[in-house]
């Protein structure tokens, strides 16, 4: 009989996590590191990334920070090459960096559309473009893309964000079809409102009082609370681990029942 722990163990695996210096990404750096992975924490926020690298290494996790803007073709290419050079392989990719601008198409400036779609959708394409060949060379792997409940249904005053997240959900399916032959699984996790700096910033963009906005975001959910970054990290661990070996192309909603 298989050892129960083996299914969740990430010992010997190397994970790349974008948007790793905050919120859901940071919780996932800790979670995958805790389960044995060596983690490349990727973010544009160099100051925080370096501080966290030091802190997490002191806690015994093998985490290395890489400054990389996921909207840059060149930086994504360099990142993939550098992680392969440093760790020898890449088994897990969590495409998680994302930004939100809470505006309708009428109010969105073109540059706001571009930043949301470039970080949230194009970044997943670019990072996957350079990491998939490395994963395939190593015998396969697992890619997890962060979608959103608003990738599966629409939301108010978030036109570019909804477009980018809808794109993530279907990009995930397309990649699952193309790369199954390389033993690469591709799935999306689709969080509902989760207490992170991004959610709090959305409240500010809409002109709400922060605490009232958070309370309101939790309302109406069957499980009656906001998500925590760790709630989402747990679902990423599932897709990164052997427990999901025959799952690819799936869109998992992790939202306390919000869009049930
Ligand atoms: N928090 C929520 O309620 C919620 C709900 C659904 C989906 N999501 C998605 O989860 C993901 C993580 O969001 P979060 O809430 O943890 O946000 P967050 O703001 O806490 O973290 C996002 C991180 O991405 C980094 N980042 C931004 N632009 C980047 C770029 N160009 N290149 C590299 N890194 C960049 C930021 O520096 C930050 O560290 C996003 O894709 C977001 O859309 C969040």
């Amino acid at each position: 009989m298989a050892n129960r722990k083996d299914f969740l163990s990430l010992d010997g695996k190397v994970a790349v996590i974008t948007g790793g210096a905050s919120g859901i990404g940071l919780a996932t750096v800790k979670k995958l590191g805790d389960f044995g992975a060596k983690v490349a924490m990727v973010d544009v926020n160099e100051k925080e990334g370096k501080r966290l690298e030091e802190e997490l290494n002191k806690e015994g996790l093998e985490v290395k920070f890489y400054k990389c803007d996921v909207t840059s073709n060149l930086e994504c290419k360099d990142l993939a090459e550098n992680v392969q050079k440093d760790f020898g392989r890449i088994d897990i990719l969590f495409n998680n960096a994302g930004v939100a601008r809470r505006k309708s198409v009428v109010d969105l400036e073109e540059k706001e559309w571009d930043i949301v779609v470039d970080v949230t959708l194009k970044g997943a394409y670019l990072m996957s473009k350079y990491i998939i060949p490395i994963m395939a060379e190593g015998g396969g792997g697992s890619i997890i893309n962060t979608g959103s409940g608003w990738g599966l249904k629409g939301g108010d005053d978030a036109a570019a964000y909804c477009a980018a997240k809808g794109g993530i959900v279907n990009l995930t399916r397309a990649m699952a079809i193309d790369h199954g032959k390389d033993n690469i699984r591709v799935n999306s996790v689709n969080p509902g409102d989760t207490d992170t700096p991004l959610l709090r910033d959305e409240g500010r963009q809409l002109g709400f009082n922060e605490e009232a906005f958070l309370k309101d975001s939790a309302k109406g959910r069957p499980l009656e609370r906001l998500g925590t970054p760790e709630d989402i990290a747990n679902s990423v661990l599932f897709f990164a681990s052997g427990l999901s070996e025959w799952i690819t192309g799936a869109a998992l909603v992790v939202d306390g029942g919000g869009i049930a």
Side-chain angles (χ1 to χ4, degrees):
M1 194 192 272
N3 183 332
R4 277 182 290 169
K5 285 189 187 144
D6 286 347
F7 282 106
L8 281 176
S9 169
L10 301 178
D11 283 350
K13 308 261 188 214
V14 176
V16 172
I17 297 179
T18 73
S22 176
I24 291 167
L26 175 57
T28 308
V29 167
K30 292 178 184 167
K31 181 68 62 177
L32 301 195
D34 214 23
F35 279 77
K38 297 174 183 145
V39 182
M41 176 203 283
V42 177
D43 209 289
V44 280
N45 188 342
E46 186 170 24
K47 194 167 165 225
E48 188 59 1
K50 288 203 156 144
R51 187 191 69 74
L52 285 163
E53 177 189 72
E54 206 182 311
E55 183 181 300
L56 295 173
N57 286 337
K58 271 191 200 142
E59 288 174 21
L61 301 183
E62 200 166 335
V63 173
K64 187 169 160 64
F65 173 71
Y66 295 83
K67 181 173 188 291
C68 169
D69 179 346
V70 298
T71 69
S72 159
N73 194 325
L74 196 63
E75 289 187 30
C76 289
K77 185 169 186 288
D78 285 350
L79 182 277
E81 286 170 7
N82 288 334
V83 175
Q84 188 181 28
K85 211 177 324 138
D86 293 344
F87 290 107
R89 56 184 302 112
I90 300 175
D91 306 278
I92 298 156
L93 168 61
F94 183 31
N95 283 314
N96 166 73
V99 292
R101 296 289 179 274
R102 295 299 304 268
K103 291 184 179 177
S104 70
V105 284
V106 173
D107 295 331
L108 270 170
E109 298 296 334
E110 187 180 350
K111 61 177 186 318
E112 293 177 307
W113 169 276
D114 286 345
I115 183 86
V116 171
V117 175
D118 283 0
V119 177
T120 312
L121 180 57
K122 183 181 167 187
Y125 143 67
L126 285 175
M127 205 48 94
S128 303
K129 175 178 174 63
Y130 294 112
I131 287 184
I132 284 173
I134 298 170
M135 264 187 189
E137 201 184 303
S142 175
I143 300 177
I144 303 102
N145 297 324
T146 304
S148 166
W150 284 4
L152 297 159
K153 70 179 282 292
D156 60 300
D157 289 320
Y161 186 76
C162 290
K165 290 304 189 182
I168 281 285
V169 172
N170 219 27
L171 172 67
T172 299
R173 297 184 183 119
M175 285 167 55
I177 291 167
D178 288 339
H179 304 293
K181 64 178 184 321
D182 297 317
N183 193 31
I184 293 173
R185 300 182 294 108
V186 191
N187 295 288
S188 65
V189 294
N190 294 276
D193 289 335
T194 302
D195 192 356
T196 69
L198 179 142
L199 183 68
R200 288 168 181 258
D201 179 58
E202 284 185 58
R204 283 192 293 275
Q205 288 182 40
L206 294 167
F208 290 123
N209 164 283
E210 191 169 299
E211 288 313 313
F213 177 70
L214 294 181
K215 225 170 153 185
D216 200 52
S217 303
K219 228 170 38 196
R221 259 163 232 283
L223 296 183
E224 296 182 337
R225 67 167 174 87
L226 288 180
T228 65
E230 198 180 359
D231 287 324
I232 315 304
N234 286 335
S235 67
V236 180
L237 172 64
F238 169 69
F239 281 129
S241 78
L243 277 182
S244 57
E245 257 172 7
W246 206 51
I247 305 179
T248 194
L252 179 66
V253 179
V254 188
D255 72 343
I259 62 167

